[in-house]
Amino acid sequence: EFLSRFFARDYPSDSTQGKVLAEAAASRGWKKVAFIQEQMDYPLGIYNAFSENFKNGTIVREEFASETNDFRTMLAKLMSENGDALFIATQTPAASERILQQINEIGWKPNIMVADVVSGSPETVSKNSGILEGALAAEFGIDNNNLRFMHMLQVYKNAYGTEPPYLSYAQTEYDSVFILRDAIKSVGYDGEKIAEFVRNLKNWEGASGTVSIGQNGDRTGGHVLKIIKNGTTVPYSKPTIKIGFIGPLSGGVANWGASMRGGVRLAAEELKNNGIGMNVIYENDECDKTKSIAALRKLADIDNVQVVIGPMCSGTVLSDAPVAEESKTIIIGFGSAASINKAGDYVFRSSY
């Protein structure tokens, strides 16, 4: 569906913003989200997209008129619902700032999600850094390595003496003018032909990146998940899991250790491809008890590892068991000795 064949836009729809945040909420296991929304088209669009994609969750919503200044009654009602998070969707940063201030006043400390009108305002984020720490947002980002973006930014600074307050808005509107320029150069100053040119735009390179217009007139692609940290909106990255590995990577049974390490590496790479970072610290014990104990102590005390894959040999699993118990470090060994199942609460094995 689309509004008109004369409609197109190079800024992504709010629907992708709501979709990204709904998926983020679901991935955290949030089942109920409180939603406070200004009665305007922009925040309503975000709410509609969020509710459409938050399929297995519950939303409790409060709406307010733009002239509202006192949100405490609405916030207290939402707080009483004991939701997992609060989504603040307003037309302007000023309204969100008043809401944030009053959240503090009533002593509420919810997980927060905000629309890009907040996360994209450095002044708002910096001023409210305390309550916004860890807040999630979805933004249509910028690419500081894009030469066209860098040129646009420098030209803007030269003209106005400052950076654009909303870089994502500036870059797309800058691109819009040049898209029209290219359309007119290609098909002439004819409305119908320009509309057809823009609606069929594919892989056009601009300050905002590669622009392609879909069948509905919207730019393909869209918002990405962001998080607010230390008063700045930054790209969200899933936490990296750190684990240890102990095995014989040299010596008489090095082939066994190489097979173990190969399996761990394959699994770690597969997880990485699915968005879960894993940092594996490899230690070689040559199936030697003294070396294995030293390796486990290093992983536990210096590298602060909580879980270790290995050791390989029954003797090293048993020798490492007291260290695992002392440091509360889980070891998932490979030894087959029957006594391993009584080695301690922190010792497990993947063999039999």
Side-chain angles (χ1 to χ4, degrees):
E1 295 182 5
F2 56 90
L3 290 174
S4 163
R5 65 190 180 92
F6 292 96
F7 163 81
R9 56 182 167 185
D10 65 343
Y11 196 92
S13 166
D14 293 333
S15 62
T16 60
Q17 185 175 170
K19 181 175 185 292
V20 166
L21 287 169
E23 291 171 350
S27 72
R28 282 159 179 72
W30 294 347
K31 300 299 184 184
K32 182 189 285 188
V33 172
F35 210 105
I36 185 164
Q37 176 232 309
E38 188 172 354
Q39 294 169 331
M40 297 286 286
D41 287 345
Y42 161 72
L44 176 60
I46 296 173
Y47 168 78
N48 287 338
F50 184 89
S51 60
E52 181 182 342
N53 289 279
F54 194 49
K55 298 183 186 300
N56 297 318
T58 301
I59 302 173
V60 184
R61 177 170 59 151
E62 290 288 324
E63 300 177 76
F64 64 89
S66 296
E67 60 270 19
T68 303
N69 288 309
D70 189 342
F71 303 96
R72 284 170 292 189
T73 300
M74 283 181 279
L75 291 171
K77 183 177 178 180
L78 292 173
M79 182 170 64
S80 70
E81 292 286 343
N82 296 315
D84 298 301
L86 170 67
F87 197 132
I88 303 171
T90 64
Q91 187 73 20
T92 64
S96 286
E97 285 199 55
R98 290 194 293 272
I99 292 171
L100 292 168
Q101 179 182 351
Q102 290 171 35
I103 289 172
N104 272 326
E105 290 173 2
I106 66 172
W108 192 12
K109 297 181 179 179
N111 296 311
I112 292 177
M113 291 183 283
V114 293
D116 62 359
V117 72
V118 171
S119 60
S121 169
E123 181 181 354
T124 302
V125 171
S126 176
K127 189 189 302 184
N128 299 276
S129 60
I131 191 170
L132 286 176
E133 181 67 21
L136 298 179
E139 289 188 344
F140 179 60
I142 61 172
D143 181 2
N144 287 309
N145 295 316
N146 181 344
L147 294 179
R148 290 179 175 84
F149 172 79
M150 294 168 62
H151 172 74
M152 182 278 295
L153 189 60
Q154 189 59 55
V155 170
Y156 191 102
K157 287 180 179 178
N158 292 342
Y160 304 109
T162 185
E163 284 192 2
Y166 289 91
L167 290 170
S168 63
Y169 294 172
Q171 64 181 356
T172 49
E173 299 317 296
Y174 182 83
D175 282 348
S176 294
V177 176
F178 286 96
I179 290 171
L180 289 174
R181 179 205 64 181
D182 288 353
I184 294 168
K185 285 173 65 176
S186 177
V187 300
Y189 196 60
D190 181 298
E192 290 197 10
K193 292 180 179 179
I194 291 172
E196 184 179 0
F197 177 95
V198 175
R199 289 297 293 265
N200 288 283
L201 196 67
K202 295 290 184 289
N203 299 319
W204 185 91
E205 297 295 336
S208 62
T210 303
V211 181
S212 294
I213 304 298
Q215 292 183 347
N216 62 356
D218 280 337
R219 179 177 182 148
T220 59
H223 297 76
V224 296
L225 190 62
K226 298 287 187 76
I227 187 169
I228 295 174
K229 288 186 175 181
N230 301 317
T232 305
T233 303
V234 298
Y236 178 85
S237 58
K238 292 184 179 180
T240 298
I241 301 168
K242 182 166 65 173
I243 67 171
F245 170 94
I246 300 175
L249 301 178
S250 62
V253 289
N255 286 341
W256 295 356
S259 297
M260 287 177 64
R261 180 175 59 184
V264 170
R265 282 178 171 172
L266 285 174
E269 188 65 27
E270 187 172 332
L271 288 171
K272 180 181 177 182
N273 292 336
N274 285 279
I276 302 172
M278 179 169 284
N279 177 25
V280 185
I281 302 172
Y282 295 92
E283 297 293 336
N284 177 20
D285 70 353
E286 297 184 338
C287 273
D288 177 89
K289 293 179 181 180
T290 301
K291 292 179 180 178
S292 196
I293 290 171
L296 181 56
R297 288 198 181 281
K298 171 187 175 293
L299 289 170
D301 298 341
I302 298 175
D303 299 315
N304 297 313
V305 163
Q306 301 288 314
V307 180
V308 173
I309 304 296
M312 174 88 189
C313 300
S314 295
T316 50
V317 174
L318 292 168
S319 67
D320 285 4
V323 179
E325 194 79 22
E326 175 193 330
S327 62
K328 295 182 169 54
T329 304
I330 294 171
I331 60 175
I332 304 175
F334 195 77
S336 59
S339 55
I340 287 176
N341 61 9
K342 298 178 181 178
D345 293 337
Y346 291 84
V347 179
F348 303 86
R349 59 177 163 186
S350 57
S351 65
Y352 56 89

